Amino acid sequence: MILDAGTTTVSTSGTEQQLSNTANRVLWLKAKALAANSGIAYLGVSDVSTTNGYELSAGNELEINFREIGGSVAFSSIYIDVASNGDKVSWVVILEG
């Protein structure tokens, strides 16, 4: 298993951004909208937008244990968008490998 962590910035609201372009598969993910964000962050797949995604208000986080439910997803399939330019999401993952 591989542990990875980082922060992803979306420069322009309405423009989805991959958390990572790696093809490794995610077993576990925790994502957190930074407390300093001025708007809502949205987590989803390639069609995520400010009207289509899991909402994370500043300081909120989401944890998904894909392994616990019998699966994994490609890290490159996870995206974010934000309601305010320059907002960020920090993340930590456990990847297969």
Side-chain angles (χ1 to χ4, degrees):
M1 286 189 264
I2 302 166
L3 178 68
D4 195 10
T7 300
T8 302
T9 303
V10 179
S11 298
T12 305
S13 174
T15 307
E16 71 278 348
Q17 178 75 42
Q18 281 179 308
L19 288 188
S20 174
N21 63 3
T22 182
N24 291 64
R25 300 196 61 83
V26 177
L27 299 171
W28 176 86
L29 161 77
K30 183 177 270 191
K32 180 177 182 178
L34 295 190
N37 285 357
S38 57
I40 296 172
Y42 301 85
L43 183 73
V45 293
S46 61
D47 67 346
V48 70
S49 69
T50 57
T51 60
N52 179 32
Y54 186 86
E55 290 187 11
L56 292 169
S57 297
N60 286 8
E61 60 186 42
L62 172 68
E63 180 178 345
I64 305 172
N65 188 341
F66 296 102
R67 181 177 50 192
E68 190 174 84
I69 55 176
S72 63
V73 298
F75 198 8
S76 60
S77 72
I78 303 171
Y79 286 73
I80 61 166
D81 195 0
V82 296
S84 297
N85 295 345
D87 279 355
K88 303 175 183 184
V89 171
S90 62
W91 48 266
V92 59
V93 293
I94 296 175
L95 303 168
E96 292 179 343

